[in-house]
Amino acid sequence: MAEIDLDDLARGYVYRAPTQATLARARDAVRGRHGTLIDVGGGTGAHAATWVGPNRLPIVVDPAHEMCISAREHRGVCVVQARSQAL
């Protein structure tokens, strides 16, 4: 299988902003949850950013450097550049 250039893929996300519906589903997915919330393959961190709140620590894990740069722009979201297999 050919290796995918994840950073090249990440640059395309500028043109694929999350919809209000996907952000609402992300918020609903963690309703009532507290503690550490991990978004594996979290990309730009847009979904994890909806999880920021009292008693919550959202963490994005993504292998793409460019995605991690974008995810770090969200206040309150921790970012780890790594492949999910390394977890």
Side-chain angles (χ1 to χ4, degrees):
M1 180 183 239
E3 187 71 25
I4 297 172
D5 183 342
L6 295 174
D7 285 324
D8 188 44
L9 181 67
R11 287 185 279 278
Y13 273 66
V14 170
Y15 306 104
R16 293 184 56 203
T19 65
Q20 290 304 311
T22 61
L23 295 175
R25 283 194 298 273
R27 271 191 304 277
D28 291 346
V30 299
R31 182 173 287 134
R33 302 206 187 263
H34 300 287
T36 303
L37 304 167
I38 302 175
D39 190 355
V40 178
T44 64
H47 294 137
T50 69
W51 304 344
V52 174
N55 302 313
R56 289 186 180 165
L57 174 62
I59 300 173
V60 169
V61 178
D62 200 278
H65 179 73
E66 294 289 329
M67 290 287 195
C68 291
I69 288 172
S70 294
R72 285 186 180 101
E73 294 177 5
H74 297 285
R75 177 173 289 180
V77 175
C78 294
V79 180
V80 176
Q81 184 177 349
R83 293 191 172 274
S84 60
Q85 297 90 328
L87 296 175

